[in-house]
Amino acid sequence: MTYVVTEACIKCKYMDCVEVCPVDCFYEGENMLVIHPDECIDCGVCEPECPPEAIVPDNDAEGEKWLELNREYSETWPNIARKGEAPADADQYRDESGKYEKYFSAEPGEGS
Ligand code: SF4
Ligand code: F3S
């Protein structure tokens, strides 16, 4: 089992999750983060920290859908270990659905 980041993170990217992860297994894309499934130790501490509730276990029906995306992009995007600044308009996208189709970007973020 692992925790995964779902599309709810897209364009929100608050990064509170990064602050608490004991093994630094988050990776940064241009407008979302993903978790490396083989590095996550399933501690669960990041889950309640995410404002739009984008982090779920992969054995949950929603989580299962995002596992492959987390695996794929955690192999190519840079590691992020320090919280940066969330986008200025992050709150605007918090409750929006269907964000993957509308906004997903495969471009890497800057990492830290
Ligand atoms: Fe990191 Fe724990 Fe969250 Fe996995 S569950 S990403 S180890 S904080
Ligand atoms: Fe994304 Fe939530 Fe972390 S919005 S960056 S998964 S705190």
Side-chain angles (χ1 to χ4, degrees), residues 3 20-23 25-26 35 39-47:
Y3 280 77
V20 298
C21 181
V23 294
C25 62
F26 281 92
I35 291 171
E39 295 175 2
C40 173
I41 58 168
D42 310 332
C43 70
V45 299
C46 59
E47 187 184 17

Side-chain angles (χ1 to χ4, degrees), residues 7-22:
E7 66 177 335
C9 178
I10 296 174
K11 281 190 164 284
C12 284
K13 205 175 165 186
Y14 290 104
M15 293 176 274
D16 297 323
C17 53
V18 168
E19 283 288 280
V20 298
C21 181

Side-chain angles (χ1 to χ4, degrees), residues 53-74:
E53 299 181 356
I55 300 173
V56 296
D58 75 335
N59 58 7
D60 156 305
E62 181 64 12
E64 225 173 83
K65 291 196 266 173
W66 302 102
L67 179 61
E68 273 322 300
L69 180 137
N70 278 250
R71 184 174 293 286
E72 181 179 351
Y73 289 99
S74 60

